[in-house]
Amino acid sequence: MQADKAKINRLLKTARGQIDGILKMVEEDRYCMDISHQLMATEAILNKANKEILTAHLKSCVTNARTDEEREEKVDELVTMLGKIM
């Protein structure tokens, strides 16, 4: 993985902290909309982390592929992932 590991770790740890907070909110029977807002905030952080990883894949794995066949394989992986995201 060629993504900035420190940045990815920071984002994932933030998301983990938010999930812990959401679990506490659920246990405390907090207002549904407040929980939903926190869930969306956590999703945004996870999406940002995924974007960083996919960007690194494109900039590193795809561009550094040794052969056209390997490059095509890497692009296909990216296209498949984008299909899952969308």
Side-chain angles (χ1 to χ4, degrees):
M1 184 180 81
Q2 298 300 316
D4 181 347
K5 291 178 185 171
K7 186 174 188 176
I8 299 300
N9 277 325
R10 187 177 68 255
L11 288 167
L12 293 176
K13 286 178 181 179
T14 300
R16 180 175 56 194
Q18 284 189 286
I19 290 171
D20 289 341
I22 293 166
L23 287 167
K24 186 176 178 183
M25 291 174 78
V26 170
E27 290 169 5
E28 294 172 351
D29 292 323
R30 297 275 297 273
Y31 185 54
C32 330
M33 296 307 292
D34 292 340
I35 295 170
S36 182
H37 282 287
Q38 291 304 311
L39 285 167
M40 288 188 297
T42 304
E43 286 177 338
I45 291 172
L46 291 172
N47 286 335
K48 187 173 181 178
N50 198 26
K51 180 183 173 189
E52 290 291 326
I53 291 169
L54 292 176
T55 299
H57 176 74
L58 182 60
K59 289 183 176 181
S60 179
C61 298
V62 174
T63 58
N64 293 331
R66 294 184 192 128
T67 65
D68 287 341
E69 183 178 292
E70 186 181 352
R71 186 173 298 108
E72 186 174 331
E73 179 183 321
K74 301 296 180 188
V75 169
D76 288 345
E77 289 173 340
L78 185 59
V79 169
T80 298
M81 185 59 68
L82 291 174
K84 291 177 182 180
I85 293 169
M86 298 174 142

